């Protein structure tokens, strides 16, 4: 992440998360089955799908567990470790709504779909029908102008903008329409939030507004005092980023950063701001705001609500400490 420019993650650098390794699927044998509360069950080949009207859209995908190591305390040294399960790509495919319309989905009773992958992990996730009706969810075969790579779900994956990565089912082979959530293992036991009162919260799948300074960041070295371009990424699962503020004194003073175009809904937005380092200790932070008004919380604010024992959905403000030698390291500011 510290080596990337702009907003697009080159396909070869896209993060990978597999519950049972990646699979080499023969596209000529791959099928997508639609069943459940539909008038006609259907099976699509890749050729069938690639004849349908397609869309190309830029979105981020973030694993719900991104930054999960940092809930209790500082745990990892660099931005790649703390925030690296985030990528942003242009995906190409067919809106799931179009496919469900073709099969005569019962939108009255069928308020949920189940997405199932063809790997060995039984990766099955419930997606609320509102998201599909919005037209935003699509079955993708393309990423950054080429076919998906095997590790990212070739030949077919679900794209669920704004929602945590686990719902973007790879090697997608079946969509079932149903009338209630399935409570599969990856939504009843994993990908749940342990709250301070000891209860688990389920189905919190939207990735809230978040940002991180990628340069200067942990493990990097400032060679000399003087001018630096502070650069980073901001994103929100609820829409567009409207503002990013940057502090160089641990959150006492903030300055508004420049948002670089394009600023797209549910995509990474690049921000930049100039900084003259006087050679003294400094703490760099960024704080994003999205179009719903959600302000990225400090660790103190987030822990008050969520406690410290979660794994998923940590969107707290990241702090990087700069010392006189120019070394940059990971710290937490409440
Ligand atoms: N789909 C299947 N079939 N199997 C998986 O293991 N992992 C999920 C999701 N889709 C997974 C899957 C998780 S946890 C994440 S974060 C994203 O895929 C990661 O997508 P990527 O490997 O393309 O970055």
């Amino acid at each position: 992440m510290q080596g990337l420019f702009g907003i697009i993650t080159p396909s070869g650098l896209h993060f990978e998360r597999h519950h049972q390794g990646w699979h080499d699927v023969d596209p000529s044998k791959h099928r997508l089955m639609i069943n459940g509360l539909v008038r006609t069950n259907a099976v699509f080949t890749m050729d069938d799908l690639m004849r349908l009207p397609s869309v190309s859209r830029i979105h981020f995908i973030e694993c719900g567990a991104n930054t999960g190591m940092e809930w209790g305390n500082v745990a990892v040294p660099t931005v790649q470790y703390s925030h690296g399960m985030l990528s942003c790509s242009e995906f190409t495919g067919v809106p799931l709504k179009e496919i469900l319309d073709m099969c005569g989905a019962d939108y009255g009773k069928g308020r949920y779909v189940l997405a199932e992958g063809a790997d060995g992990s039984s990766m099955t996730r419930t997606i609320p029908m509102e998201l599909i009706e919005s037209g935003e969810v699509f079955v993708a075969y393309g990423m950054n102008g080429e076919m998906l790579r095997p590790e990212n779900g070739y030949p077919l994956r679900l794209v669920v903008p704004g929602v945590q990565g686990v719902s973007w089912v790879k090697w997608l082979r079946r969509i079932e329409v149903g009338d209630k959530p399935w409570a599969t293992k990856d939504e009843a036991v994993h990908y749940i939030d342990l709250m301070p009162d000891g209860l688990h919260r389920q189905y919190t799948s939207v990735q809230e507004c978040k940002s991180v300074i990628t340069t200067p960041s942990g493990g990097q070295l400032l060679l000399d005092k003087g001018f630096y371009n502070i650069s980073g990424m901001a994103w929100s699962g609820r829409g567009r980023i409207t503002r990013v503020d940057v502090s160089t004194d641990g959150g006492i003073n903030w300055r508004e950063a420049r948002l670089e175009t394009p600023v797209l809904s549910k995509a990474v937005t690049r921000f930049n701001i100039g900084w003259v380092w006087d050679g003294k200790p400094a703490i760099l932070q960024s704080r994003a705001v999205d179009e719903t008004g959600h302000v990225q919380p400090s660790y103190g604010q987030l822990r008050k609500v969520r406690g410290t024992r979660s794994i998923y959905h940590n969107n707290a403000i990241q702090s990087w400490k700069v010392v006189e030698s120019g070394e940059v390291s990971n710290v937490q500011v409440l």
Side-chain angles (χ1 to χ4, degrees), residues 14-21 61-64 85 87 116-119 121 123 143 151-153 157 164-172 191:
H14 196 286
F15 82 95
E16 295 177 34
R17 169 76 179 104
H18 318 296
H19 289 233
Q20 212 198 39
I61 166 171
E62 182 183 21
C63 182
M85 287 197 289
S87 296
E116 180 184 85
D119 53 335
S121 71
M123 178 50 71
M143 189 168 97
E151 58 272 27
N152 305 118
R157 88 172 306 164
Q164 62 181 340
V166 65
S167 293
W168 297 45
V169 173
K170 301 191 276 192
W171 313 290
L172 180 70
Y191 299 93

Side-chain angles (χ1 to χ4, degrees), residues 120-132:
S121 71
S122 309
M123 178 50 71
T124 34
R125 289 281 307 183
T126 302
I127 321 274
M129 191 60 99
E130 297 93 79
L131 293 184
I132 289 129

Side-chain angles (χ1 to χ4, degrees), residues 210-231:
K210 187 165 169 181
S211 70
V212 67
I213 292 171
T214 51
T215 179
S217 64
Q220 294 187 325
L221 181 68
L222 303 188
L223 295 178
D224 203 353
K225 42 185 154 177
F227 183 84
Y228 286 91
N229 180 50
I230 295 178
S231 187

